Amino acid sequence: MTKKTLKNQIKVYRAMHDWTQEELASRVGVTRKTINTVENGRFIPSAYLAIKIAQVFGVTVEDVFQLDDD
Amino acid sequence: MDSEIEKLDKMRMRYLEWFLIGFFLFLILSLFRYFFRLSGLNDQPIGIAVLAGLFFCVGLIAFSTYKSAILARKIRQDPLLDEALNNEMVQSLETQSWKAAYIGAIATTSFFALVGFIYPVCDLVLVALTSIVAGAGANRATFYFKYRSL
């Protein structure tokens, strides 16, 4: 059984929208640190936060977050 | 709102820094006070300076705790701020901090229990207070350093 890790495309979508981490944080309603830790994979967000992040980008959760084999 | 969230987040960490500075200085100065008592230096100017330092630390701890409580109340009263600043990451760190507090308190109590076999520990209030202080310090230090390291 292989271990799965949660990858994300937050940085890509931020670049597409030309948003800083602070700007994204204010749109999602969290601190910049929270966005930073999620973006760098140091913190796995709840489904609620993942949906909120996807919503502000206007995409689905699967577009932003994917499970990858380690 | 965005800048307010960041501002409050920084304030929360600043008050925590003040608490930890006061807390660790208090521990160090308490040791000085203990050893000065053994050497009879507590009545000397240096001993009085250490005592003044201890009072300053208590004041700093009390002030930072008060400011933290006011800030926490302000955050709780606004659902948006509460959601942003007490999010799941903070809640997870709080849980880890309470675990550290539990271990800190248990370790301190165990230490005194072991010492009690060799040297009679008569002051049970001191043991209880030290365990509580160790637990509180471990709690806040864990939260601060884990939050900073993220």
Side-chain angles (χ1 to χ4, degrees):
Chain A
M1 193 174 185
T2 53
K3 191 187 170 198
K4 305 263 188 188
T5 52
L6 189 70
K7 306 273 181 194
N8 71 74
Q9 306 295 323
I10 294 176
K11 200 170 185 175
V12 175
Y13 280 105
R14 270 200 313 108
M16 282 164 64
H17 288 80
D18 199 20
W19 291 343
T20 60
Q21 284 186 343
E22 193 161 353
E23 205 169 341
L24 174 61
S26 74
R27 286 171 189 269
V28 178
V30 292
T31 58
R32 190 197 59 78
K33 198 169 194 80
T34 303
I35 293 296
N36 180 268
T37 51
V38 172
E39 186 176 303
N40 292 316
R42 288 198 297 270
F43 183 74
I44 296 172
S46 65
Y48 177 66
L49 182 56
I51 291 168
K52 277 174 77 177
I53 291 171
Q55 270 184 351
V56 297
F57 286 136
V59 293
T60 63
V61 175
E62 290 83 358
D63 290 331
V64 186
F65 297 95
Q66 301 90 31
L67 272 179
D68 267 14
D69 288 332
D70 211 13
Chain B
M1 187 62 84
D2 54 331
S3 58
E4 194 180 0
I5 289 172
E6 294 301 324
K7 197 179 85 186
L8 292 176
D9 190 38
K10 283 189 183 115
M11 275 170 74
R12 178 166 65 181
M13 293 311 280
R14 193 178 313 132
Y15 295 147
L16 198 48
E17 273 169 12
W18 292 353
F19 176 89
L20 289 172
I21 288 168
F23 180 79
F24 285 115
L25 271 178
F26 182 86
L27 290 185
I28 292 163
L29 290 177
S30 298
L31 281 176
F32 273 103
R33 185 94 184 140
Y34 176 74
F35 288 116
F36 281 1
R37 190 178 69 190
L38 295 180
S39 353
L41 284 172
N42 272 349
D43 294 333
Q44 304 296 318
I46 190 163
I48 293 163
V50 167
L51 186 64
L54 281 170
F55 278 114
F56 170 76
C57 290
V58 170
L60 186 62
I61 290 168
F63 180 70
S64 58
T65 305
Y66 171 74
K67 294 293 272 182
S68 290
I70 297 282
L71 184 65
R73 190 168 169 221
K74 184 182 174 183
I75 292 169
R76 271 198 312 272
Q77 282 174 344
D78 186 332
L80 281 177
L81 287 178
D82 192 39
E83 194 180 308
L85 289 160
N86 292 328
N87 59 20
E88 65 242 42
M89 188 179 78
V90 171
Q91 286 168 22
S92 162
L93 287 179
E94 286 286 3
T95 307
Q96 290 173 48
S97 304
W98 280 109
K99 192 176 162 189
Y102 175 75
I103 292 168
I106 291 287
T108 310
T109 313
S110 306
F111 169 76
F112 278 112
L114 285 173
V115 168
F117 284 118
I118 305 156
Y119 183 84
V121 182
C122 304
D123 198 345
L124 288 178
V125 175
L126 179 78
V127 173
L129 282 177
T130 311
S131 299
I132 291 167
V133 166
N139 180 301
R140 292 296 79 199
T142 303
F143 183 86
Y144 178 77
F145 288 111
K146 281 197 179 250
Y147 193 79
R148 285 290 300 266
S149 70
L150 282 172

